[in-house]
Amino acid sequence: EVQLLESGGGLVQPGGSLRLSCAASGFTFNAYAMTWVRQAPGKGLEWVSGISGRGADTYYADSVKGRFTVSRDYGKKTLYLDMNNLRAEDTAVYYCAKAPHSGPGSYGDYWGQGILVTVSS
Amino acid sequence: EIVLTQSPATLSLSPGERATLSCRASQNINTYLAWYQHKPGQAPRLIIYDASNRATGTPARFSGSGSGTDFTLTISSLKPEDFAVYYCQQRSNWPPITFGQGTRLEIK
């Protein structure tokens, strides 16, 4: 059974940093791309970042480019999102999602439950 | 960036009725469109991919159609568990991958 479990969220001040983790199980981790998607309060879904199965290719939304970094640890089967210089508009529930193949430009066939990040002073 | 526009914003129907949700793309995306169901406090769930293919576990009452710029998600006979927010998402021209703004399907 595919399982994705996010952690690392919480309250952070504007300008601060946070690292989100997504622990994966139930599938061959290096064979599938992974994605981060967020949902701000009262808003819809927004794609944030994607990373290929082997980790060689990474992609970002313009709104986070230069501030967020996606990576993955194959030994720990964990996806990460390092978030720096956080802004109030980054406040959202962050979801990790697995793609159905190794390329990152795809759908999310399995999703985590999400983790809340609040940026506020 | 490809913009996806969903309509209506809210759809009020009763169990047993047929639901028709629309998603329009700002440019041709072939059939590279997915539909997700999202309930409060839960993970989004993929229900349709590549416009018309049901994802694993999606009931047969859900169907998707369309190509190019106009797409439809149809739920043939609504069950109580179908009331949720539905999003379309394109993977034709990325980054960025984009979502529609969502259609809230509520019980009448």
Side-chain angles (χ1 to χ4, degrees):
Chain A
E1 179 190 5
V2 172
Q3 291 191 338
L4 299 168
L5 183 61
E6 300 96 339
S7 61
L11 175 63
V12 60
Q13 292 187 338
S17 299
L18 211 55
R19 169 177 257 203
L20 301 185
S21 300
C22 171
S25 62
F27 63 99
T28 304
F29 188 60
N30 62 7
Y32 299 95
M34 298 292 292
T35 297
W36 287 100
V37 173
R38 67 184 180 185
Q39 184 177 35
K43 303 294 185 181
L45 300 175
E46 179 190 16
W47 176 81
V48 172
S49 180
I51 184 168
S52 60
R54 295 289 185 177
D57 301 309
T58 58
Y59 303 88
Y60 300 93
D62 286 346
S63 58
V64 307
K65 198 174 294 181
R67 300 187 299 123
F68 289 13
T69 302
V70 63
S71 61
R72 56 197 301 169
D73 183 321
Y74 296 92
K76 294 182 179 180
K77 296 185 180 180
T78 300
L79 174 73
Y80 299 103
L81 186 67
D82 288 298
M83 305 185 294
N84 297 312
N85 192 18
L86 283 160
R87 307 166 179 166
E89 54 264 35
D90 296 318
T91 295
V93 174
Y94 285 74
Y95 298 95
C96 64
K98 169 191 165 295
H101 47 67
S102 62
S106 189
Y107 315 124
D109 58 356
Y110 292 91
W111 295 61
Q113 291 293 316
I115 191 80
L116 177 62
V117 172
T118 303
V119 184
S120 175
S121 55
Chain B
E1 173 177 327
I2 293 177
V3 176
L4 299 178
T5 303
Q6 293 187 240
S7 61
T10 302
L11 186 58
S12 300
L13 294 170
S14 300
E17 290 192 295
R18 181 185 186 90
T20 303
L21 288 68
S22 174
C23 178
R24 176 165 290 178
S26 59
Q27 58 186 272
N28 184 359
I29 59 169
N30 295 296
T31 57
Y32 297 125
L33 187 99
W35 291 93
Y36 297 89
Q37 179 190 71
H38 194 198
K39 297 179 181 179
Q42 296 187 19
R45 175 191 167 197
L46 177 68
I47 53 173
I48 298 287
Y49 67 94
D50 289 344
S52 61
N53 297 287
R54 278 190 291 272
T56 302
T58 300
R61 63 182 180 274
F62 289 86
S63 62
S65 63
S67 65
T69 60
D70 290 301
F71 301 86
T72 300
L73 173 68
T74 302
I75 310 171
S76 59
S77 179
L78 285 164
K79 293 189 178 295
E81 60 266 31
D82 298 336
F83 292 91
V85 179
Y86 290 83
Y87 294 95
C88 56
Q89 178 224 324
Q90 67 83 24
R91 68 174 185 97
S92 173
N93 188 351
W94 67 277
I97 289 171
T98 52
F99 291 87
Q101 81 279 18
T103 290
R104 180 178 304 276
L105 179 57
E106 64 178 27
I107 299 177
K108 188 174 181 180

